[in-house]
Amino acid sequence: MISIKNEDLDSIAHKHYEAVKEHLNKKYKGINYYKEIDNWFKKNHFNISFKTVLLADVPTLRKIKNKYKQKKYPDFLYKLVRVYKNNFSPKDSYLGSNHYNSLELAKILGVNTCPYCNRNYINSITYGSKGHRRTCQFDHFFPKDKYPFLALSFYNLIPVCYSCNHIKHNQGISVSPYENDIDNMIKFEYKLKAAQGIFDPEFLEINLKPLDKRMERNIDVLRLDDKYSFHTKDAQDILLKAIMFNDSQIDEYLDKYGDLFNKNEMIDLIYGTDLNTGNFSEKPISKLRTDIFSQRSW
């Protein structure tokens, strides 16, 4: 699991809020849903505004979820779920007047790989004459079926791959990609079951070590152990390259090709990912590659 990083998250969240507000402020059958929902939040528990709920970070959403959870909700709150399904999610429907929808959000977030598993690309693509299509699905970190009042909250919408969205479904997990320092809450480790393990992936094992107890739930629900048991050959690839391309070997290449590459670019070329930036969303299994590389003993 990796973090979602974007320097413009705050402005993107406000763009999302403005689009939702504009859409819900339009009266439907005489009802201004934005005002209805805003009044509901202000009259219950925290006395907060609907704007606060739409823009709240994950720790705040967690508190709102717990305070506002009910066995039955007013019908007007389910309008948020319908707007998500009918106006935000489809590629040809929009919120507000600026053509904002899930495709636009995926595009401006710029998340290339699934933050839940870091195994699959989720970048949007051009689909011939049909235009742009998103390959990601948006998971509701706090499920919209259980918490309809969070269906359009910005930090509750996680761009993920189909596999992770399908496996998680309505289950809850403990840590969101939007929370701080999650890259350091989990670590990949390898184990050689026999001396020849470095040359034969049949004798190499990958383990996910949670460095924060909360991450155990994520690993279990998302089946990350099972998913990464497939990647022993990728771990082997890193270990073998670490033998072949030691520091002195890389320095020799830099002496020869230094006008074409700097050291980070050279490492990226060799290992398939930049091991120094910590930007794991650019390429699949970047977190695995970086963690395995850091454990080499030669």
Side-chain angles (χ1 to χ4, degrees), residues 34-51 68:
Y34 188 90
K35 289 184 178 179
E36 286 280 341
I37 297 169
D38 189 52
N39 287 335
W40 183 79
F41 278 112
K42 288 178 177 177
K43 290 178 180 178
N44 291 277
H45 305 297
F46 280 177
N47 187 27
I48 58 176
S49 69
F50 186 27
K51 177 180 180 179
Y68 285 89

Side-chain angles (χ1 to χ4, degrees), residues 18-265:
E18 293 294 342
V20 172
K21 181 181 179 182
E22 181 183 348
H23 186 88
L24 292 175
N25 261 328
K26 295 177 182 177
K27 287 188 176 181
Y28 180 75
K29 293 184 179 180
I31 301 174
N32 183 312
Y33 279 96
Y34 188 90
K35 289 184 178 179
E36 286 280 341
I37 297 169
D38 189 52
N39 287 335
W40 183 79
F41 278 112
K42 288 178 177 177
K43 290 178 180 178
N44 291 277
H45 305 297
F46 280 177
N47 187 27
I48 58 176
S49 69
F50 186 27
K51 177 180 180 179
T52 298
V53 176
L54 290 172
L55 292 173
D57 59 19
V58 176
T60 305
L61 285 176
R62 193 172 282 114
K63 295 177 183 177
I64 294 171
K65 169 196 67 111
N66 293 334
K67 282 290 185 180
Y68 285 89
K69 182 180 180 181
Q70 300 176 8
K71 291 183 178 180
K72 187 176 182 180
Y73 299 101
D75 289 342
F76 58 79
L77 285 180
Y78 290 97
K79 175 69 172 178
L80 299 177
V81 177
R82 294 194 296 273
V83 168
Y84 172 82
K85 291 181 177 179
N86 299 329
N87 304 99
F88 176 75
S89 188
K91 80 176 190 71
D92 296 321
S93 297
Y94 307 97
L95 299 181
S97 57
N98 292 319
H99 288 79
Y100 177 82
N101 59 10
S102 60
L103 177 61
E104 177 66 11
L105 177 56
K107 177 181 175 183
I108 58 181
L109 279 175
V111 179
N112 288 337
T113 64
C114 176
Y116 280 171
C117 69
N118 191 220
R119 294 174 72 241
N120 298 313
Y121 278 115
I122 57 170
N123 57 300
S124 298
I125 60 173
T126 301
Y127 200 75
S129 61
K130 296 181 180 179
H132 290 289
R133 293 286 181 92
R134 58 182 171 87
T135 63
C136 74
Q137 298 186 347
F138 277 93
D139 173 58
H140 287 79
F141 183 74
F142 302 113
K144 64 182 181 298
D145 292 346
K146 296 179 181 178
Y147 311 101
F149 51 89
L150 301 181
L152 289 172
S153 293
F154 177 79
Y155 287 101
N156 197 35
L157 300 172
I158 315 294
V160 299
C161 67
Y162 170 83
S163 173
C164 286
N165 198 33
H166 178 72
I167 290 171
K168 178 179 175 288
H169 192 48
N170 279 337
Q171 299 179 87
I173 56 177
S174 299
V175 186
S176 165
Y178 281 121
E179 294 187 86
N180 294 329
D181 204 35
I182 72 161
D183 292 338
N184 295 318
M185 293 184 186
I186 188 172
K187 184 178 182 179
F188 290 95
E189 295 182 339
Y190 74 90
K191 178 181 178 181
L192 300 179
K193 295 183 285 185
Q196 66 266 40
I198 196 170
F199 301 105
D200 187 346
E202 290 292 325
F203 297 96
L204 192 151
E205 182 179 286
I206 296 174
N207 297 306
L208 277 74
K209 181 180 180 181
L211 304 179
D212 185 303
K213 190 171 180 62
R214 294 174 296 165
M215 193 61 75
E216 293 177 2
R217 174 72 178 172
N218 289 45
I219 293 172
D220 181 52
V221 170
L222 297 171
R223 305 290 297 276
L224 295 180
D225 274 324
D226 287 345
K227 288 183 175 183
Y228 272 93
S229 65
F230 175 79
H231 289 283
T232 53
K233 288 186 178 180
D234 294 296
Q236 179 200 32
D237 180 64
I238 292 295
L239 296 172
L240 290 176
K241 284 180 177 178
I243 295 174
M244 296 170 62
F245 301 98
N246 54 38
D247 288 342
S248 60
Q249 184 70 54
I250 290 176
D251 287 340
E252 287 184 25
Y253 281 121
L254 285 173
D255 287 341
K256 189 173 183 179
Y257 302 108
D259 56 333
L260 299 176
F261 309 103
N262 60 38
K263 188 168 186 177
N264 284 353
E265 291 169 338

Side-chain angles (χ1 to χ4, degrees), residues 6 17 155 210:
N6 189 306
Y17 158 71
Y155 287 101

